[in-house]
């Protein structure tokens, strides 16, 4: 299973995540005016979601013209006359305006019910991505920036100036005009191809048809939620709420084979070609800039710093996991042999890709006796949401209230306001869009929609974010019920939402999740721990029919199962991380071959011939290119934070929670990730909790 996504800004290098290419803009909104300033001292949420395709095109034209004029004005200043006000602050205000105007144009491509609007939004995103490249390669503006003096600047102003200088250098503005033009042309093509890659995935709508017999092992509640053909057969889509339950529960190996084959063949032809072109183009730009590979280029500004450190980290983790994985594969193969004998299936003496989810689920049932059919009945979505809200509110000192009659993009979407418990000040707003529909973004992710930074009038802009997910829809007689892993996903993505809306920075460049890529998952991963603790689990669960609590025995088994399949699950993450590194340390690659090789070498399970998982690996065209290792890397810090502070001082301790909000969440990217961690822990981070949490006996003593 892929890690869930934080959808990254597509400001290319115009943000503190200096090199992130994709997935969306930093924020959104239509044109703001003075009258939009609320009495609370900050600009309210003015996002509009009822734009027509023509309005999207017109507003895109206006935004491009507005941003270009500011850059033209700065670029035409006499070098002797540059100042903090007419250069640094002018650019800061332009970037905030851009961040506060863009998302309403680009976000609809991921959530809008209308295909026409989605297409208009995609086209707007392409045009704005070209603008990103243009403004980030303004040599005239770069010269004015480098002429500025750092005297009398605040710490965050110095950081912003340093970012702009670094951005210019990493865009090659110190190189010849010919090389700059080549970088510009190639960067525009990279942006366009990335957008196409993800558009293809979002528009994927394939389904398979099976008889009831072919779906043996699946619960009646699952089958009742499927559409049927005129002949009474079942339609099963490749969306998460259909795919994963089938792969985990269906007894019929041929049905699982067909589903796995289809799932990992999504957009295979078109996206394989796009990805392999992206790999070559990224390598070309890195070479023009003087880097050995694209990975070296993007990693330079991350915590990891270079590909060698990433390789060492993944290699160490792989070696630790290898014996665990061997043991788990041996057990799964024995389970498969036994089931084949009992059910009359031919035993092929190996674990196939379509076997893995099914038998990993069997391991949980046999070794930990977790009854998934029973467990899901205790996690109705509304109850989980209420419990999740309560935990986050108590922990971070916030109050959430639903905004009535809010302007939203679909009737199932809700908007909430978050206020500080002590002051009553509104600190941000967030949307929840939790169910699948045609054309919608198919994963779980958080979109930052407005930055929480200071505007030119000195007032704080109200940060706004959206959580987009694909939880099972409610149906007649049954609410939306979540698997426990979906509850974990909910907590993870909502952690990103809190990171966005708690932000209190001076510049949009540092707002919310605008941090190093290999730190950005830390806050959300840390908060996943609450779904493995008894008290929080009780608060977010009750039986959907009679309201009874989860029996202690079932709860204890669930918590113990956290280490189930820990070898294979984490080796899968090592595979994806190493595939990403391999692709982006090479000038070109056969993506299907690279994925198959790492699956066999690391996971010990072959990729299905004829498939190419990387064609639907959206992270590779979504801002994590060369950086997928970040999910494992950031766990080192998130686990240390949880076990050293919250587990030790109380998981619902509001004092620790508010300190966490102040030190980690409010700071955004205005402070280096490592410095934030050291401040919160009172020391350098260690790896012990990371390995212990995964059930690995030999914890590693070395600090990061």
């Amino acid at each position: 299973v892929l890690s869930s996504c934080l959808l990254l800004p597509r400001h290319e290098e115009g943000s503190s995540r200096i090199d992130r290419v994709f997935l969306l803009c930093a924020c959104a909104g239509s044109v703001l005016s003075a009258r939009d300033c609320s009495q609370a001292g900050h600009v309210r949420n003015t996002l509009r979601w009822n734009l027509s395709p023509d309005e999207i095109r017109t507003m895109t034209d206006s935004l491009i013209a507005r941003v270009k004029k500011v850059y033209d004005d700065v670029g035409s200043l006499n070098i002797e006359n540059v100042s903090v006000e007419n250069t640094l602050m002018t650019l800061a205000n332009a970037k905030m305006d851009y961040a506060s105007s863009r998302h309403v144009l680009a976000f609809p491509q991921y959530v809008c019910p209308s295909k026409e609007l989605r297409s208009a939004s995609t086209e707007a995103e392409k045009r704005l991505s070209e603008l990103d490249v243009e403004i980030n390669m303004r040599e005239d503006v770069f010269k004015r920036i480098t002429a500025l003096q750092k005297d009398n600047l605040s710490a965050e102003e110095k950081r912003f100036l340093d970012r702009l200088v670094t951005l210019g250098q990493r865009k090659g503005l110190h190189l010849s005009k010919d090389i700059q033009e080549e970088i510009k042309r190639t960067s525009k093509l990279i942006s366009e191809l990335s957008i196409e890659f993800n558009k293809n995935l979002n528009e994927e709508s394939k389904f398979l048809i099976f008889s009831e017999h072919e779906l043996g092992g699946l619960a009646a509640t699952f089958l009742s939620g499927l559409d049927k053909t005129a002949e009474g057969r079942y339609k099963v889509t490749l969306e998460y709420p259909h795919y994963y339950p089938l792969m985990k529960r269906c007894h019929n190996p041929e049905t699982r084979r067909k589903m796995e084959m289809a799932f990992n063949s999504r957009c295979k032809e078109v996206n394989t070609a796009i990805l392999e072109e992206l790999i070559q183009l990224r390598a070309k730009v890195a070479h023009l800039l003087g880097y050995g590979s694209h990975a070296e280029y993007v990693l330079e500004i991350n915590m990891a710093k270079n590909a060698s450190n990433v390789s060492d980290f993944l290699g160490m983790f792989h070696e630790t996991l290898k014996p665990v994985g061997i043991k788990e594969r041996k057990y799964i193969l024995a389970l498969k042999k036994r089931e084949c004998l009992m059910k009359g299936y031919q035993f092929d003496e190996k674990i196939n890709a379509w076997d893995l989810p099914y038998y990993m689920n069997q391991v949980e049932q046999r070794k930990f006796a977790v009854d998934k059919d029973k467990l899901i009945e205790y996690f109705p979505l509304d109850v989980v949401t209420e419990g999740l809200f309560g935990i986050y509110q108590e922990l971070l000192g916030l109050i959430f209230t639903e905004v009535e009659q809010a302007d939203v993009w679909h009737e199932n979407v809700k908007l909430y306001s978050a206020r500080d418990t002590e002051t009553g000040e509104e600190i941000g707003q967030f949307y929840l869009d939790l169910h699948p529909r045609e054309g919608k973004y198919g994963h779980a992710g958080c979109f930052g929609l407005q930055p929480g930074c200071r505007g030119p009038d000195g007032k704080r802009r109200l940060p706004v974010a959206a959580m987009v997910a694909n939880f099972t829809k409610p149906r007649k007689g049954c609410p939306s019920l979540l698997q426990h892993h979906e509850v974990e996903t909910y907590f993870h993505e909502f952690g990103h939402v809190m990171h966005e809306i708690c932000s209190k920075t001076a510049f949009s460049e540092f707002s919310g999740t605008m941090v190093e890529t290999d730190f950005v998952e830390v806050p959300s991963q840390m908060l996943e721990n609450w779904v493995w603790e008894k008290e929080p689990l009780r608060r977010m669960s009750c039986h959907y029919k009679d309201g009874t609590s989860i029996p202690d025995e079932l709860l204890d088994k669930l918590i113990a199962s956290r280490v189930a399949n820990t070898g294979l699950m984490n080796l899968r993450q090592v595979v994806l991380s190493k595939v990403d590194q391999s692709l982006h340390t090479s000038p070109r690659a056969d993506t299907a071959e690279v994925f198959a090789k790492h699956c066999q070498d690391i996971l010990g399970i072959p990729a299905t011939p004829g498939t190419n998982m990387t064609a639907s690996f959206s992270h590779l065209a979504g801002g994590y290119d060369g950086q997928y290792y970040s999910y494992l890397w950031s766990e080192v810090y998130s686990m240390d934070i949880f076990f050293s502070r919250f587990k030790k001082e109380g998981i619902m301790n509001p004092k620790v929670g508010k300190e966490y909000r102040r030190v980690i969440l409010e700071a955004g990217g205005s402070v280096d990730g490592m410095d934030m961690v050291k401040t919160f822990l009172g020391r350098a981070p260690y790896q012990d909790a990371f390995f212990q949490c995964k059930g690995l006996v030999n914890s590693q003593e070395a600090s990061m």
Side-chain angles (χ1 to χ4, degrees), residues 327-578:
K327 185 177 179 181
E328 290 175 357
R329 284 198 305 272
K330 184 178 179 181
Y331 184 77
I332 282 177
L333 200 58
L335 286 180
K336 180 178 177 179
K337 182 177 182 180
R338 181 175 179 273
E339 183 168 49
C340 286
L341 288 172
M342 290 179 63
K343 296 187 175 179
Y345 298 135
Q346 182 178 353
F347 179 55
D348 58 7
E349 300 185 355
K350 64 180 179 180
I351 303 170
N352 301 296
W354 58 87
D355 293 325
L356 194 58
Y358 177 74
Y359 288 106
M360 286 172 72
N361 188 60
Q362 294 272 325
V363 169
E364 288 187 50
Q365 292 179 345
R366 288 176 175 273
K367 283 194 170 183
F368 298 93
V370 178
D371 187 340
K372 294 291 184 69
D373 287 338
K374 190 66 177 172
L375 188 63
I376 194 174
E377 295 178 356
Y378 289 93
F379 291 118
L381 178 58
D382 288 348
V383 173
V384 173
T385 300
E386 183 181 353
L388 177 148
F389 277 15
I391 290 165
Y392 272 91
Q393 289 175 117
E394 183 177 330
L395 204 59
L396 301 179
L398 301 173
I399 300 171
F400 304 149
T401 54
E402 184 175 352
V403 178
E404 301 294 336
Q405 298 181 322
D407 181 22
V408 294
W409 51 88
H410 188 272
E411 61 185 1
N412 292 337
V413 177
K414 293 183 178 181
L415 174 64
Y416 295 87
S417 169
R419 295 184 179 276
D420 183 84
T421 305
E422 293 181 4
T423 66
E425 175 194 2
E426 185 176 31
I427 67 153
Q429 293 186 353
F430 59 90
Y431 299 89
L432 294 183
D433 183 355
L434 303 180
H435 300 297
R437 56 182 176 271
E438 185 176 352
K440 180 184 168 183
Y441 178 73
H443 304 283
C446 170
F447 293 74
L449 302 180
Q450 279 188 177
C453 62
R454 189 179 63 230
D457 54 7
K459 296 176 181 177
R460 178 175 178 260
R461 267 42 185 172
L462 187 75
V464 183
M467 177 182 163
V468 177
N470 289 276
F471 300 139
T472 305
K473 294 179 182 178
R475 53 189 182 275
K476 188 176 181 180
C478 185
S480 173
L481 299 174
L482 303 188
Q483 299 281 356
H484 179 259
H485 73 85
E486 292 178 305
V487 178
E488 187 174 40
T489 295
Y490 200 167
F491 257 73
H492 177 99
E493 297 305 335
F494 202 76
H496 284 311
V497 170
M498 292 298 100
H499 201 177
E500 289 284 357
I501 71 167
C502 288
S503 172
K504 288 187 176 180
T505 61
F507 298 101
S508 61
E509 297 290 297
F510 305 132
S511 178
T513 56
M514 304 288 275
V515 298
E516 302 99 319
T517 307
D518 47 9
F519 184 77
V520 74
E521 298 296 334
V522 170
S524 48
Q525 287 176 338
M526 197 279 293
L527 289 153
E528 290 177 21
N529 286 287
W530 272 254
V531 307
W532 295 102
E533 297 285 334
K534 186 171 285 190
E535 179 190 347
L537 281 168
R538 289 208 179 282
R539 292 179 61 167
M540 67 179 88
S541 63
C542 72
H543 198 278
Y544 79 98
K545 287 183 178 179
D546 57 21
T548 55
S549 300
I550 301 180
D552 278 337
E553 184 182 8
L554 183 56
L555 201 55
D556 290 339
K557 289 174 180 176
L558 170 64
I559 293 169
S561 74
R562 185 174 193 178
V563 296
N565 303 301
T566 191
L568 293 174
M569 286 181 66
N570 286 285
L571 283 170
R572 169 72 170 171
Q573 287 295 85
V574 173
V575 168
L576 296 175
S577 300
K578 281 183 168 281

Side-chain angles (χ1 to χ4, degrees), residues 21 38 64 101 120 129 143 155 168 322 327 366 511 555 557 624 649 685:
V21 183
S38 74
I64 290 172
S101 303
S129 296
K143 287 179 178 177
K322 190 185 293 184
K327 185 177 179 181
R366 288 176 175 273
S511 178
L555 201 55
K557 289 174 180 176
Y624 279 84
E649 299 177 44

